[in-house]
Amino acid sequence: MSGKQLARNEYDLILIGSGMGALTVASLMSQLRNKRVLVLERHFKAGGFTHDFKRKQFHWDVGLHYVGEMESGSQMRGIFDLVTANHVQWNKMPEPFEKFVYPEFSFNVYGDEKRYIADLIKLFPQEKSSIRQYFRDVKKAAGALINDSMAKSSSLPVKLLGSAGKLWNRFPLNLTVKDYLDKHFQDPTLKALLVSQWGDYGLPPSICAFVQHATIVQHYLSGGYYPVGGAGEIAASVTKIVEKSGGKFLLNREVTEVLIEDGSAVGVRVRKLNAQNVNTKNVNTKDNLDIASSSAKEEYYAPVIVSNVGAANTYLKLIPRDYPIPFRDSLQRFIKQYSPTTNLTVYLGFSEDPRKLGFKGENHWIYSSIDHEKIYEHRGSWINDNAKPLNVYLSFPSLKDPKAENHTAEIIVDSDYEPFVQWKNQPWLHRDDTYQQLKQRLMDRLIDFVDKYYPGFADTIIYKELSTPLTNEHFTAHHQGAIYGLPAVCDRFDPQNSAWTTPKTPLPGLYLTGSDVCSSGIVGAMMGGVFTLSDIPGGISFPEVFASAAKSKSK
């Protein structure tokens, strides 16, 4: 390799993947350390699950449907504004921002904790003291998860702070949601109501760790927010920041291996994907986002490499098998035992404003019963059995975004991966007629499900498209199309498994970031980035991140 080529392929920092964790690390290392950063993304759009897309006149988000803690003055908003250099504005969703819909009743959730508690007590007065205790425990449990993440840091100040927090807050990490609810509540309807947001972490009460459930509940106590202009604004803002410091985003680049020399990670080997089958009319090629046009091998080098593609991909695919990872086998057993959360999404375009049907922009969690365990077990069988789905999540991007020009919705439901395995090796956009026919049937059944609750809904649809777990897998390479990283079951938080999700990996020079380092969701992945920043050489400490956020706000 010539000196000119070597210089071109060397960076201060390489990010594998461009999800929220990677965007956080890339942005802050560019802004606060003036590092030349390379972000490698296998998709033809940057942003991971924060990216968005268009079909004809319609526009949808992919993974960001709403975000909590974005109220002005909150710490999370301050960090987010720092990451995006204040280029992303947030629109507060109308109140109520959530609606839990069951056959016999509906319950509205407002972004006001006191009102949430009062509304629950009004319905279940006999459980008044337990309801109040629940919200106190939610905060303790969410804090316990953050303390656990901090205690795994290799940064001594962060580690000490997290360890001290664990001594003060001893909320158990191995308590399931079901065990907590059964201990504190009597009414089965109230128990079901309290877990109505379980689609935000993708697990039923019997196996989900209460700390994960609590983190989601606390996250939305002040309501939901949506990025003005769509979720794609996040990656677009970070791209400008990275390029200003001499860095680059390269798209259609799949990292196939971490390069190791003398026992340390020194670079990555990349497969440049062929994008000739991509519909480039729907691809934003601005801001020097490189669109690949041929298949080729490339290598890039940096003293620090950060993986945002999850613990499973990092340890089981990217690090060569002959490099000793002490927990590789236990991690492999874990992902075989616990199926990752994946989903089906129907993207809809409307002929008229859905507000005519009474929608205001709130999310609708629609359930056919209060038996969430049964609903979870049914997530795969209805696909092959020509049965009806038992639940959906209904979201309206166009009613959340004041810049939206045409009206859209998304119907989302958890799914098994298994029903789609037979088409795994067929190429995206070119899978056979049987697959296309199945997708059509699934779309029709999901739309019919919603239409039964909201008559007239189906009549306004003029565009529809469905993505499956294979779509998720194609663009992310996540195991079985996982959307939330490692499942948040109690085993994930067992002390003997803590090494899976620490920012500093057993391979010197390689670090982990994103939701696996902290928790699921956009803000969880962002905080994963903040944890990683405190661990990497020449990184940014916790206090500096928060101080920089406060300074940026004052400006």
Side-chain angles (χ1 to χ4, degrees), residues 156-198:
L156 185 58
V158 177
K159 189 179 189 71
L160 290 175
L161 187 60
S163 299
K166 292 182 75 170
L167 289 173
W168 174 74
N169 178 2
R170 295 179 178 272
F171 199 96
L173 301 181
N174 62 350
L175 177 69
T176 68
V177 177
K178 184 178 186 302
D179 287 342
Y180 178 91
L181 296 178
D182 287 347
K183 180 179 179 180
H184 292 85
F185 298 103
Q186 299 298 317
D187 194 308
T189 300
L190 175 56
K191 294 180 189 180
L193 198 58
L194 292 173
V195 299
S196 297
Q197 294 166 311
W198 68 266

Side-chain angles (χ1 to χ4, degrees), residues 256-430:
T256 58
E257 183 181 347
V258 174
L259 301 175
I260 301 174
E261 292 180 7
D262 299 325
S264 296
V266 297
V268 293
R269 181 167 292 122
V270 175
R271 184 166 66 102
K272 188 177 180 183
L273 301 179
N274 191 328
Q276 63 183 356
N277 292 324
V278 171
N279 182 356
T280 55
K281 290 190 295 182
N282 296 317
V283 178
N284 180 1
T285 58
K286 296 188 296 183
D287 302 326
N288 296 318
L289 297 182
D290 194 334
I291 302 299
S293 60
S294 63
S295 296
K297 303 287 184 178
E298 301 171 337
E299 292 182 357
Y300 299 94
Y301 297 88
V304 178
I305 300 165
V306 178
S307 174
N308 188 61
V309 296
N313 273 346
T314 302
Y315 291 117
L316 304 180
K317 293 182 180 180
L318 299 186
I319 299 176
R321 291 292 301 181
D322 58 1
Y323 188 88
I325 300 295
F327 51 78
R328 184 181 268 130
D329 290 342
S330 63
L331 178 58
Q332 181 75 65
R333 288 192 296 271
F334 177 87
I335 67 170
K336 285 185 177 180
Q337 180 178 356
Y338 298 106
S339 299
T341 297
T342 189
N343 64 351
L344 301 171
T345 301
V346 184
Y347 299 97
L348 300 172
F350 294 118
S351 60
E352 57 186 46
D353 192 331
R355 281 173 286 209
K356 293 182 179 179
L357 295 175
F359 300 111
K360 299 293 189 298
E362 70 282 0
N363 302 319
H364 293 245
W365 298 90
I366 308 174
Y367 295 101
S368 58
S369 79
I370 63 171
D371 189 344
H372 292 293
E373 300 294 331
K374 178 182 177 181
I375 289 171
Y376 179 78
E377 291 300 322
H378 190 67
R379 71 194 187 283
S381 59
W382 74 274
I383 293 172
N384 286 332
D385 294 344
N386 279 325
K388 297 178 181 178
L390 297 183
N391 70 302
V392 301
Y393 166 81
L394 178 62
S395 172
F396 295 90
S398 63
L399 297 183
K400 300 173 186 179
D401 181 5
K403 286 190 175 181
E405 297 178 354
N406 296 280
H407 286 292
T408 56
E410 295 162 340
I411 303 173
I412 304 174
V413 63
D414 286 337
S415 170
D416 258 353
Y417 179 80
E418 188 63 29
F420 303 94
V421 168
Q422 62 180 298
W423 296 284
K424 174 182 173 65
N425 295 321
Q426 294 184 13
W428 176 64
L429 295 182
H430 296 281

